Amino acid sequence: MSTTWTEAVVVARHDPTPRIAVFDLARTDGEELWEFEPGAHIDVVTGADDMIRQYSLCGPANTRKQYRLAVLNEENSRGGSRAMHALAEGDTVRISAPRNRFGLSPARRHILVAGGIGITPLLAMVLELEATGGDYHLHYCSRSRSEAAFVGELENNSRVTFHFDDEAAEQRLDLARDAGPPDPDTALYVCGPGGFMDYVLDRAAELGWHPSALHKERFAAAATTLEAGTPGSGSFTVRLASTGAEYEVAEGESILDVLLDSGVDAPYSCQQGICGECVVRVLAGEPDHRDDVLTDAERADGMFTLCSSRALSSHLEVEL
Ligand code: FES
């Protein structure tokens, strides 16, 4: 894996809610961390099994001394959030350099819609837009006030509106009212649980928002099923342009797994089609895009995720 890593120490931890822990991380060698843009995330390696998980950076982007993460202890955790919640001040973890598939667009106005722990990348955007005088409004949805992190930091900001499921119906998110009509100078960003994101994105599409104005970051892949016999489900051959080597990708396998099993040093992180680390360019063949990270324009430009996407043609050549 070509990701750049460093060792970091937990310099502070606090738990703003019973299920959310906020960590400040600094390099163990005292050097500065990498620069990042709001919306960026890092990989964190934790637990006895060296699990790699992605967490958005939610602190201000203008400091390289520390990174701030907020981690929800997921009910259906695969182990990553539990391992994170076991960390205490002084513990060390390995972290990657930040990557960003969810940066602020050049739009004049920014509507940010957070669901639960999806506040994390949007909080970094709020801090940046505050610092630079950007025009924005944050809509922060949560099951309840007591389950929402960063309420204290945000509640006196007139450009923030909270929407709590357990409070009056009229304060719940109404995208038509809260985002206003689609506007070519406005970008709409959404981050949160999958069902929440699907709801917001579907509603935005119904309201006439152009896909290029919608920016999203998922923490888990949208559920997809690939029935045997449907287009893209079958086997195909992938060819690497650099070596000319060819690999058979059987039904049910991913290109990334086949390459890694064959000793190819392919880039990857999430293995779910949501982080963008495994993106390469397709040089020949017909791709079957199954990621949740590339835009239509990037796909049209030949970008392709090795971890989740497949081929509709019998051969696919990629730039690797
Ligand atoms: S490894 Fe994250 S998108 Fe493929």
Side-chain angles (χ1 to χ4, degrees):
M1 191 159 58
S2 57
T3 305
T4 308
W5 298 91
T6 193
E7 180 134 309
V9 59
V10 178
V11 293
R13 169 183 173 155
H14 72 279
D15 293 42
T17 81
R19 291 181 58 213
I20 296 176
V22 176
F23 300 95
D24 290 330
L25 305 176
R27 278 178 65 140
T28 49
D29 60 10
E31 296 292 313
E32 290 194 321
L33 289 155
W34 299 274
E35 285 180 15
F36 72 95
E37 299 285 328
H41 67 264
I42 59 170
D43 291 341
V44 181
V45 182
T46 55
D49 301 336
D50 281 352
M51 289 171 286
I52 302 177
R53 295 291 184 269
Q54 293 74 43
Y55 297 105
S56 296
L57 299 175
C58 58
N62 61 3
T63 173
R64 294 175 60 188
K65 286 193 177 344
Q66 293 182 4
Y67 288 161
R68 173 163 283 190
L69 315 176
V71 180
L72 174 70
N73 201 352
E74 302 269 4
E75 279 155 5
N76 300 317
S77 168
R78 293 175 294 148
S81 64
R82 253 198 315 279
M84 287 296 294
H85 272 249
L87 293 174
E89 287 179 17
D91 287 344
T92 58
V93 288
R94 235 158 27 100
I95 63 172
S96 74
R99 67 176 77 84
N100 197 349
R101 304 284 314 175
F102 190 49
L104 282 167
S105 86
R108 187 185 56 74
R109 179 165 161 74
H110 308 269
I111 305 288
L112 316 170
V113 185
I117 197 65
I119 186 62
T120 49
L122 300 179
L123 181 60
M125 292 181 181
V126 165
L127 296 172
E128 177 78 4
L129 291 163
E130 278 290 325
T132 58
D135 184 358
Y136 75 92
H137 200 99
L138 170 69
H139 293 276
Y140 183 3
C141 307
S142 175
R143 282 192 217 164
S144 67
R145 181 175 290 269
S146 63
E147 290 172 88
F150 307 115
V151 172
E153 288 92 323
L154 295 168
E155 65 187 345
N156 293 322
N157 185 335
S158 60
R159 294 195 281 189
V160 176
T161 304
F162 293 99
H163 306 274
F164 296 119
D165 292 351
D166 65 347
E167 294 190 11
E170 58 270 19
Q171 54 83 58
R172 297 200 193 127
L173 183 72
D174 174 346
L175 206 65
R177 175 196 66 195
D178 295 326
D183 169 358
D185 288 332
T186 302
L188 195 152
Y189 307 76
V190 58
C191 187
F196 172 82
M197 292 189 55
D198 291 342
Y199 167 75
V200 173
L201 292 168
D202 289 350
R203 186 76 185 112
E206 277 170 20
L207 292 168
W209 285 81
H210 192 274
S212 63
L214 304 177
H215 304 267
K216 62 182 190 292
E217 176 141 285
R218 291 189 188 271
F219 294 138
T224 55
T225 46
L226 198 54
E227 306 266 329
T230 57
S233 65
S235 61
F236 58 93
T237 302
V238 66
R239 182 176 197 274
L240 306 190
S242 63
T243 61
E246 295 191 339
Y247 304 89
E248 284 302 311
V249 181
E251 189 174 310
E253 285 185 310
S254 77
I255 299 175
L256 179 67
D257 286 343
V258 169
L259 295 180
L260 294 177
D261 288 348
S262 305
V264 176
D265 185 21
Y268 71 95
S269 174
C270 71
Q271 302 187 65
Q272 297 185 77
I274 55 175
C275 78
E277 182 66 8
C278 68
V279 169
V280 296
R281 189 173 294 278
V282 169
L283 302 175
E286 191 180 353
D288 179 22
H289 294 287
R290 295 185 172 275
D291 65 275
D292 216 339
V293 63
L294 294 175
T295 63
D296 290 346
E298 288 170 327
R299 290 177 178 184
D301 195 33
M303 311 299 264
F304 179 84
T305 56
L306 293 172
C307 70
S308 56
S309 295
R310 302 181 63 77
L312 294 170
S313 48
S314 60
H315 284 72
L316 198 71
E317 181 171 346
V318 297
E319 194 171 58
L320 186 67

